[in-house]
Amino acid sequence: MPGGGGPAYHRSPCPGRIFEDLGVGFSIGCIAGSLMYFGKGFFNAPRRQRFLGGLTHIRNRAPLLGGSFAMWGGVYTSVDCLMIYYRGKDDPYNAIVGGFVTGGVLAIRGGLNMAFKQAMMGGLILALIEGVSTAFTGMMMRQQYQMMEEMQRQQKLEAERLTRKGGKDQWAVDYDKQYDGKSVDHNEAMVDSAKSYSL
């Protein structure tokens, strides 16, 4: 690995994530395709065959959409893993390059011009997604840091309040107040009590 050392993965490690994204992409495509194509087949079928027409349309078209989603996810994640291997780290730049390459590869049958346009579109979409994700993560981390600072400030104020109320240590002061000037008598009483029990 050119980067040296193992990369810190933000998701499941490669190459396992390739198969994961293949399955997830196919599942999403099939679910979305089932909803979309059932409605299309339902409304286009004859009146008494609408439900059967929706199911037939799902059977014919939903797996194709699932395959397209799976192909997109597989190519994207493969490029992402290659970038992680080459650069030695998992960051948003890998995702942007993955979106660029995936858009171009899947549109290459339409010619180089179409492939370049789709590659730019894929890279732009992934850049927007990663930008929003990074901004949201940064905002959450800032909020968490502010909450920790507020908790530390409250703890410090509480410690100062207890110190002003009870001296150096509230518990130590209470102990001193309870036994101040009585330590000898208290010890003697304990000795006498022990003698009485022993007798």
Side-chain angles (χ1 to χ4, degrees):
M1 184 180 299
Y9 291 104
H10 296 156
R11 293 177 50 203
S12 57
C14 296
R17 74 166 66 175
I18 298 176
F19 301 99
E20 177 184 342
D21 283 359
L22 281 170
V24 171
F26 184 77
S27 301
I28 292 174
C30 286
I31 293 172
S34 297
L35 296 175
M36 181 176 64
Y37 289 122
F38 178 81
K40 187 175 181 180
F42 183 86
F43 288 109
N44 291 334
R47 176 171 297 180
R48 294 187 177 182
Q49 298 179 358
R50 292 186 185 277
F51 188 77
L52 182 60
L55 293 180
T56 303
H57 216 48
I58 289 176
R59 184 188 63 187
N60 294 335
R61 303 298 300 176
L64 297 178
L65 186 62
S68 298
F69 273 70
M71 186 181 299
W72 206 100
V75 174
Y76 164 76
T77 311
S78 299
V79 176
D80 191 20
C81 287
L82 287 174
M83 293 296 296
I84 291 173
Y85 176 79
Y86 180 75
R87 300 180 65 233
K89 53 185 177 180
D90 187 5
D91 59 11
Y93 294 107
N94 298 335
I96 295 173
V97 174
F100 179 86
V101 174
T102 303
V105 168
L106 296 183
I108 194 66
R109 290 183 298 176
L112 293 179
N113 190 24
M114 178 62 68
F116 180 76
K117 290 181 180 179
Q118 293 299 317
M120 293 297 295
M121 184 64 65
L124 178 62
I125 291 174
L126 266 298
L128 291 175
I129 293 173
E130 293 296 327
V132 171
S133 177
T134 302
F136 181 76
T137 303
M139 182 181 66
M140 296 297 295
M141 292 182 64
R142 283 195 298 271
Q143 290 181 353
Q144 185 176 6
Y145 180 72
Q146 291 173 358
M147 290 176 61
M148 292 177 61
E149 282 190 332
E150 181 65 20
M151 290 176 60
Q152 292 177 355
R153 189 178 69 85
Q154 293 293 337
Q155 291 176 356
K156 184 178 180 180
L157 292 176
E158 183 68 15
E160 292 177 353
R161 185 183 68 81
L162 292 176
T163 302
R164 289 195 301 267
K165 181 179 179 181
K168 294 182 296 181
D169 189 343
Q170 185 183 15
W171 301 105
V173 170
D174 290 344
Y175 179 85
D176 292 341
K177 287 182 179 179
Q178 183 176 359
Y179 297 110
D180 187 20
K182 303 178 182 179
S183 299
V184 177
D185 297 337
H186 180 69
N187 292 334
E188 291 178 354
M190 291 181 64
V191 171
D192 295 337
S193 177
K195 288 181 179 179
S196 63
Y197 279 112
S198 63
L199 294 174

